[in-house]
Amino acid sequence: MSTPVENVVIVGTGCAGLTAAIYTARSSLNPLVLEGPLPGGQLTTTSEVENFPGFPHGVDGFMLTQNMREQATRFGTRFEQALVTAVDFTVNPRRLTLDGGRVVLAKAVIIATGASPRMTGIPGEKELYGGKGVTTCATCDGAFYRNMEVAVLGGGDSAAEEALFLTRFASKVYLVHRRDSLRASKIMAERAVAHPKIQMVWDSVPTEVLGVAEGSVSGLKVKNLKTGTASVLPVKGIFVAIGHVPNTGPFTPAIAVDEGGYFKPESGSQVRTNVAGVYVAGDCSDHVYRQAITAAGMGCQAAIEVERWLAEHGG
Ligand code: NAP
């Protein structure tokens, strides 16, 4: 039996992918959405989203993506759990190979694969990641650290947000940052610095996660970059919040990327790529704004581009 040709395959189920699904499904394109390892994307690991328009009192990140998914399903979106491992964009229809070997053919593709948390790479981090004390998600794991001391690594909005969230559970939160001022927005930075449970550890980098032999985190070695002094923070939990790496691997070099590995859209467009009929949306191609609402906006743009592309090229 020959492989069916999809109108449009959307890769990723964050805000960008789900918005693209809502739009293409409402246009009766019967989209197939491939869902990766983090259904719903990064927003599902956020507690309260206070800046998504339309929710004056904030909305839970998980609920927001669940609602988007329900909305996409209502108009006929099909979901399949699969990772794209390779693509051939030199042929028409476009070919996507999935883990397990299945091949999907598509007239148009929207890549909305997001970005994954960046890790420090220090000794002990990998060994104690996931259930052993090192994590990238305070919302998911914060409650495990009731009345314990924890450390958050980073100085951006994510680090400030994670640290503030963790004050609900932890007895003390060390915020370890390599400089002496936070990159986070003023309101978040002020909230974090002023919080009585948060202790700033300025000008410092983590050098080792302790506890590998015991199988759980027993401390974090840090080094002050100005004085050279090394010390150990007596923490049981370490929350890494030092930014993200775009999930563009399987699509390169077919789709052009910039020096940071982010997809590089064609000039004059946020979502058109160097391959006709293939579009990008969300954090996999945006290292500037990286907001739920901007990702959703790009998903919408990509969907409208697909509708036009299919109308012009025999959809
Ligand atoms: P980010 O803004 O890129 O900040 C990453 C932080 O980690 C920086 O402070 C950086 O230090 C530090 N860092 C990077 N690599 C490091 C390393 N190897 N070792 C130690 N420290 C390292 O990332 P983000 O905080 O995840 O935020 C990403 C975007 O999402 C931003 O646009 C942010 O505004 C947005 N965001 C918004 C909200 C919100 O509005 N509620 C919440 C979360 C995120 P330097 O400062 O020295 O570069």
Side-chain angles (χ1 to χ4, degrees), residues 124-154:
E125 180 187 59
K126 200 169 158 191
E127 293 86 336
L128 296 175
Y129 181 76
K132 295 176 190 160
V134 179
T135 169
T136 54
C137 178
T139 315
C140 321
D141 299 329
F144 298 132
Y145 298 92
R146 237 170 252 283
N147 303 319
M148 295 181 204
E149 298 197 0
V150 299
V152 174
L153 313 182

Short mmCIF file of all heavy atoms in Angstrom, two decimals, residues 124-154:
data_model
loop_
_atom_site.label_atom_id
_atom_site.label_comp_id
_atom_site.label_asym_id
_atom_site.label_seq_id
_atom_site.Cartn_x
_atom_site.Cartn_y
_atom_site.Cartn_z
N GLY A 124 28.80 15.66 37.83
CA GLY A 124 27.70 15.32 38.74
C GLY A 124 26.33 15.73 38.21
O GLY A 124 25.31 15.16 38.61
N GLU A 125 26.29 16.70 37.31
CA GLU A 125 24.99 17.21 36.83
C GLU A 125 24.21 16.12 36.08
O GLU A 125 23.03 15.87 36.38
CB GLU A 125 25.22 18.42 35.92
CG GLU A 125 23.94 19.02 35.36
CD GLU A 125 24.25 20.10 34.35
OE1 GLU A 125 24.93 19.82 33.32
OE2 GLU A 125 23.83 21.24 34.57
N LYS A 126 24.90 15.49 35.14
CA LYS A 126 24.25 14.47 34.32
C LYS A 126 23.86 13.26 35.18
O LYS A 126 22.75 12.72 35.08
CB LYS A 126 25.22 14.04 33.22
CG LYS A 126 24.58 13.38 32.04
CD LYS A 126 25.64 13.28 30.95
CE LYS A 126 25.32 12.21 29.97
NZ LYS A 126 26.45 11.96 29.07
N GLU A 127 24.80 12.87 36.04
CA GLU A 127 24.60 11.67 36.87
C GLU A 127 23.40 11.83 37.80
O GLU A 127 22.71 10.85 38.11
CB GLU A 127 25.84 11.39 37.73
CG GLU A 127 27.09 10.99 36.95
CD GLU A 127 27.91 12.18 36.45
OE1 GLU A 127 27.34 13.29 36.30
OE2 GLU A 127 29.12 12.01 36.19
N LEU A 128 23.15 13.06 38.27
CA LEU A 128 22.09 13.24 39.27
C LEU A 128 20.86 13.96 38.69
O LEU A 128 20.01 14.47 39.42
CB LEU A 128 22.65 14.02 40.47
CG LEU A 128 23.75 13.24 41.23
CD1 LEU A 128 24.37 14.09 42.32
CD2 LEU A 128 23.18 11.95 41.83
N TYR A 129 20.78 13.95 37.35
CA TYR A 129 19.64 14.60 36.69
C TYR A 129 18.40 13.70 36.74
O TYR A 129 18.51 12.50 36.58
CB TYR A 129 19.99 14.90 35.22
CG TYR A 129 18.87 15.60 34.48
CD1 TYR A 129 18.61 16.95 34.69
CD2 TYR A 129 18.06 14.90 33.60
CE1 TYR A 129 17.59 17.59 34.04
CE2 TYR A 129 17.01 15.54 32.93
CZ TYR A 129 16.79 16.89 33.16
OH TYR A 129 15.76 17.52 32.51
N GLY A 130 17.25 14.30 36.99
CA GLY A 130 15.99 13.56 36.90
C GLY A 130 15.72 12.68 38.10
O GLY A 130 16.15 11.53 38.13
N GLY A 131 15.06 13.23 39.09
CA GLY A 131 14.68 12.42 40.25
C GLY A 131 15.78 12.25 41.28
O GLY A 131 15.55 11.67 42.35
N LYS A 132 16.97 12.72 40.98
CA LYS A 132 18.08 12.55 41.94
C LYS A 132 18.57 13.91 42.44
O LYS A 132 19.63 13.99 43.07
CB LYS A 132 19.23 11.79 41.30
CG LYS A 132 18.86 10.36 40.95
CD LYS A 132 20.01 9.69 40.23
CE LYS A 132 19.58 8.35 39.65
NZ LYS A 132 20.47 7.91 38.58
N GLY A 133 17.83 14.96 42.13
CA GLY A 133 18.17 16.26 42.72
C GLY A 133 18.50 17.35 41.73
O GLY A 133 18.41 18.53 42.05
N VAL A 134 18.88 16.99 40.49
CA VAL A 134 19.13 18.03 39.48
C VAL A 134 17.93 18.05 38.54
O VAL A 134 17.52 17.01 38.03
CB VAL A 134 20.42 17.76 38.67
CG1 VAL A 134 20.63 18.84 37.61
CG2 VAL A 134 21.63 17.68 39.60
N THR A 135 17.38 19.22 38.31
CA THR A 135 16.18 19.32 37.48
C THR A 135 16.17 20.66 36.73
O THR A 135 16.96 21.56 37.05
CB THR A 135 14.91 19.15 38.35
OG1 THR A 135 13.76 19.49 37.57
CG2 THR A 135 14.93 20.03 39.57
N THR A 136 15.28 20.77 35.75
CA THR A 136 15.14 22.04 35.04
C THR A 136 13.73 22.60 35.21
O THR A 136 13.35 23.53 34.52
CB THR A 136 15.41 21.84 33.52
OG1 THR A 136 14.55 20.80 33.05
CG2 THR A 136 16.86 21.48 33.26
N CYS A 137 12.98 22.02 36.14
CA CYS A 137 11.57 22.41 36.22
C CYS A 137 11.09 22.53 37.66
O CYS A 137 10.77 21.52 38.30
CB CYS A 137 10.72 21.41 35.46
SG CYS A 137 8.96 21.77 35.54
N ALA A 138 11.03 23.76 38.15
CA ALA A 138 10.57 23.99 39.52
C ALA A 138 9.09 23.61 39.67
O ALA A 138 8.68 23.04 40.68
CB ALA A 138 10.78 25.45 39.91
N THR A 139 8.31 23.91 38.65
CA THR A 139 6.88 23.60 38.73
C THR A 139 6.67 22.10 38.90
O THR A 139 5.80 21.67 39.67
CB THR A 139 6.15 24.03 37.43
OG1 THR A 139 6.60 25.33 37.10
CG2 THR A 139 4.67 24.00 37.60
N CYS A 140 7.49 21.32 38.17
CA CYS A 140 7.32 19.87 38.24
C CYS A 140 7.84 19.31 39.56
O CYS A 140 7.24 18.41 40.14
CB CYS A 140 8.08 19.17 37.11
SG CYS A 140 8.05 20.01 35.54
N ASP A 141 8.99 19.81 40.01
CA ASP A 141 9.71 19.13 41.09
C ASP A 141 9.83 19.92 42.40
O ASP A 141 10.31 19.38 43.39
CB ASP A 141 11.14 18.78 40.61
CG ASP A 141 11.10 17.85 39.41
OD1 ASP A 141 10.16 17.05 39.33
OD2 ASP A 141 12.00 17.93 38.56
N GLY A 142 9.40 21.18 42.39
CA GLY A 142 9.59 22.04 43.56
C GLY A 142 9.03 21.45 44.85
O GLY A 142 9.67 21.52 45.91
N ALA A 143 7.87 20.81 44.76
CA ALA A 143 7.20 20.30 45.96
C ALA A 143 7.98 19.19 46.66
O ALA A 143 7.72 18.89 47.82
CB ALA A 143 5.80 19.81 45.60
N PHE A 144 8.97 18.60 45.93
CA PHE A 144 9.79 17.55 46.57
C PHE A 144 10.79 18.14 47.57
O PHE A 144 11.48 17.40 48.27
CB PHE A 144 10.57 16.75 45.51
CG PHE A 144 9.69 16.02 44.54
CD1 PHE A 144 9.91 16.10 43.17
CD2 PHE A 144 8.64 15.23 44.99
CE1 PHE A 144 9.10 15.42 42.27
CE2 PHE A 144 7.82 14.55 44.10
CZ PHE A 144 8.05 14.65 42.74
N TYR A 145 10.94 19.45 47.55
CA TYR A 145 12.01 20.06 48.36
C TYR A 145 11.46 20.91 49.50
O TYR A 145 12.02 21.94 49.86
CB TYR A 145 12.94 20.87 47.43
CG TYR A 145 13.59 19.96 46.42
CD1 TYR A 145 13.00 19.75 45.18
CD2 TYR A 145 14.72 19.23 46.76
CE1 TYR A 145 13.55 18.85 44.27
CE2 TYR A 145 15.28 18.33 45.86
CZ TYR A 145 14.69 18.15 44.62
OH TYR A 145 15.24 17.24 43.74
N ARG A 146 10.35 20.46 50.08
CA ARG A 146 9.74 21.12 51.23
C ARG A 146 10.74 21.21 52.39
O ARG A 146 11.37 20.22 52.73
CB ARG A 146 8.52 20.32 51.68
CG ARG A 146 7.26 21.09 51.68
CD ARG A 146 6.08 20.16 51.90
NE ARG A 146 5.31 20.00 50.68
CZ ARG A 146 4.47 20.89 50.20
NH1 ARG A 146 4.26 22.02 50.85
NH2 ARG A 146 3.81 20.67 49.09
N ASN A 147 10.92 22.42 52.91
CA ASN A 147 11.80 22.68 54.06
C ASN A 147 13.26 22.28 53.82
O ASN A 147 13.99 21.99 54.76
CB ASN A 147 11.28 21.98 55.32
CG ASN A 147 9.87 22.43 55.63
OD1 ASN A 147 9.57 23.62 55.50
ND2 ASN A 147 9.00 21.50 55.99
N MET A 148 13.66 22.22 52.56
CA MET A 148 15.07 21.93 52.26
C MET A 148 15.69 23.16 51.60
O MET A 148 14.97 24.04 51.11
CB MET A 148 15.18 20.76 51.28
CG MET A 148 14.68 19.45 51.83
SD MET A 148 14.91 18.18 50.57
CE MET A 148 13.69 17.00 51.09
N GLU A 149 17.03 23.18 51.55
CA GLU A 149 17.71 24.26 50.85
C GLU A 149 17.96 23.83 49.40
O GLU A 149 18.32 22.68 49.15
CB GLU A 149 19.03 24.60 51.55
CG GLU A 149 18.79 25.11 52.97
CD GLU A 149 20.00 25.83 53.58
OE1 GLU A 149 21.04 25.96 52.90
OE2 GLU A 149 19.86 26.28 54.73
N VAL A 150 17.73 24.74 48.49
CA VAL A 150 17.92 24.43 47.07
C VAL A 150 18.71 25.57 46.40
O VAL A 150 18.82 26.67 46.95
CB VAL A 150 16.57 24.26 46.32
CG1 VAL A 150 15.76 23.10 46.89
CG2 VAL A 150 15.76 25.55 46.34
N ALA A 151 19.24 25.28 45.21
CA ALA A 151 19.94 26.31 44.44
C ALA A 151 19.30 26.42 43.07
O ALA A 151 18.88 25.42 42.49
CB ALA A 151 21.41 25.95 44.29
N VAL A 152 19.20 27.66 42.57
CA VAL A 152 18.78 27.90 41.20
C VAL A 152 19.98 28.49 40.48
O VAL A 152 20.65 29.40 41.00
CB VAL A 152 17.59 28.88 41.15
CG1 VAL A 152 17.25 29.23 39.70
CG2 VAL A 152 16.37 28.27 41.84
N LEU A 153 20.28 27.99 39.27
CA LEU A 153 21.41 28.49 38.50
C LEU A 153 20.91 29.37 37.36
O LEU A 153 20.02 28.96 36.62
CB LEU A 153 22.22 27.33 37.91
CG LEU A 153 22.56 26.16 38.86
CD1 LEU A 153 23.40 25.12 38.14
CD2 LEU A 153 23.28 26.69 40.10
N GLY A 154 21.48 30.57 37.22
CA GLY A 154 21.09 31.45 36.12
C GLY A 154 20.72 32.82 36.62
O GLY A 154 20.57 33.03 37.83
#
